[in-house]
Structure formats: C-alpha cells, structure tokens
Amino acid sequence: MYTELTTEHPIDLCRYQVANNYMGRVGLINSGGESHGASDLKDAVITAVINKRAGGMGLISGRKAFQCPMKDGVELLHSIQDIYLNKDITIA
C-alpha cells in the first residue's frame, strides 16, 4: 500500500479500500469477522461505524449474529441497522 495515501487510523484504512473499489462506484461491504462471544455486539457496532464513516455500504454479520442465542443475534442486527439508518453518523 502507498503509505502517503493513508494513515494507520481505521477510517483511513477503510477509505483506502473504498478508493480501490473504483472510487466508491462499487460499494464496500466489510466482513464482521468471527464470533468472539461477549464482545460481538461492541465489535460489530465499531466496525459498522468505521465502515459508514469511511463511505462503505454495509457489514456482513453472519457468524456474529447467528452463532449466539436468537435474542442476542437480533439485537446485534438491529444495532447495525440503526447505525446505517442514523443520519447523525456521517462521512468522516
């Protein structure tokens, strides 16, 4: 990666991915990663905020949402949806 095009900040790194997707013409959808148990909701929310603030389009949340009790999985999915619907969370 060209070091002059980004920093180590997570939003900048995600922006670099958006730029590599034909400058955002192809939507960036980040992977939520594997399930870690108790920290899944927090991790998913942080990843979704970073993705949205960088110009990304969504978050894959399969393992985090579906490898836990249904109540917890629904809460996680609703939290992610709330981030993408929240007009106060904008491009950084």
Side-chain angles (χ1 to χ4, degrees):
M1 173 169 41
Y2 299 102
T3 56
E4 61 271 2
L5 296 179
T6 189
T7 68
E8 292 297 316
H9 193 281
I11 292 175
D12 285 341
L13 293 171
C14 195
R15 268 194 201 129
Y16 188 77
Q17 291 175 319
V18 170
N20 282 308
N21 288 340
Y22 299 102
M23 294 307 280
R25 288 183 290 229
V26 176
L28 175 67
I29 300 176
N30 283 90
S31 172
E34 75 262 25
S35 177
H36 292 291
S39 67
D40 284 349
L41 178 62
K42 177 184 156 207
D43 295 342
V45 167
I46 289 169
T47 303
V49 169
I50 290 169
N51 178 273
K52 184 175 180 184
R53 299 221 53 218
M57 300 289 204
L59 179 67
I60 299 169
S61 55
R63 289 178 281 176
K64 286 189 186 314
F66 302 116
Q67 289 182 347
C68 62
M70 185 169 179
K71 179 183 174 226
D72 297 337
V74 168
E75 180 185 6
L76 186 139
L77 292 173
H78 284 168
S79 297
I80 293 169
Q81 288 175 332
D82 290 345
I83 289 165
Y84 285 99
L85 294 172
N86 188 333
K87 295 187 186 310
D88 293 330
I89 301 172
T90 60
I91 300 277

